[in-house]
Each structure stands twice: as C-alpha cells, then as structure tokens.
Amino acid sequence: QVQLVESGGGLVQAGGSLRLSCRASGSIFSINAMGWYRQAPGKQRELVARITSGGSTNYADFVKGRFTISRDNAKNTVYLQMASLKPEDTAVYYCNAGLVVLTPYRYLELWGQGTLVTVSS
C-alpha cells in the first residue's frame, strides 16, 4: 500500500519554528512533484509550497521568506521548514505527491492524513 505519512506538527509560540516531514512508502517507481497545503478552520485548502523532482520550488506569497521546502529523493521524503511562525499559520498541513507506483503500474496523486500546527500568540 502506497501512502504518505506526515510528522512534525505541534504547538509553538509566535515567532518560533517547526519542521514538517512527509515520507512516501510502498511500491514506488518514481515521485514527481511534492507539496504542502494547509487548511485552517472554516477556510479552503490552499497551497503553501511545492517542489518538483528536479528541485524547483514555488511558494505562496504569505510564506515567502519564512518557509522552506526541500526533499530527499533517496528517502522519498519532503520537508517544510517553517520559521517566524504567526498565529494565522495555524492550520492542518497536508502533504501531497504525484507518484508512479508499481503493481499495477500507474500514476497516483496522494494526500497525507494531515498534521496540526498551532501557533499561539
């Protein structure tokens, strides 16, 4: 079973830092783009950052200069380093990835289960 498992959420004070991790596991042939999205209570899910298999990145304007996305292809893992956190960053953060998987060979887009980040003022 191919899945994305996130970790690293929690409670942090404003101005603090957290690092989220998301590891893909299972019968994976390759991973294309990976990204982080977030959903705050009462709001729609929104893109936070995205990274291609080649390492190109793009960020939402509201996190530029504060968050950094990276990936370790050998570990099938994507990271989100978050700094200078604000109360408005409070949300459930979801990992997303496009994968080519085996048995049977096919393309999948998967979401992680989500990890809660709470930033206190």
Side-chain angles (χ1 to χ4, degrees):
Q1 179 183 2
V2 181
Q3 60 181 347
L4 301 177
V5 178
E6 299 139 341
S7 62
L11 174 64
V12 64
Q13 288 188 332
S17 300
L18 278 176
R19 189 175 85 151
L20 306 183
S21 300
C22 172
R23 181 175 176 271
S25 63
S27 299
I28 298 168
F29 178 76
S30 63
I31 304 177
N32 298 338
M34 304 182 82
W36 290 94
Y37 291 70
R38 71 186 188 186
Q39 188 167 17
K43 295 188 177 181
Q44 290 189 328
R45 191 173 297 188
E46 58 186 357
L47 174 69
V48 175
R50 185 175 177 272
I51 184 167
T52 68
S53 57
S56 297
T57 59
N58 65 285
Y59 295 90
D61 287 343
F62 54 77
V63 302
K64 282 182 180 177
R66 300 189 298 125
F67 292 8
T68 302
I69 190 170
S70 61
R71 64 191 283 173
D72 184 334
N73 291 330
K75 296 181 179 180
N76 290 341
T77 300
V78 63
Y79 305 96
L80 186 68
Q81 180 67 49
M82 305 184 292
S84 302
L85 283 160
K86 306 174 182 179
E88 51 263 44
D89 294 317
T90 296
V92 177
Y93 284 71
Y94 295 92
C95 175
N96 171 267
L99 311 98
V100 178
V101 302
L102 303 170
T103 61
Y105 185 86
R106 67 194 187 281
Y107 178 83
L108 287 179
E109 182 176 356
L110 290 183
W111 292 88
Q113 80 283 2
T115 185
L116 177 63
V117 173
T118 304
V119 184
S120 63
S121 57

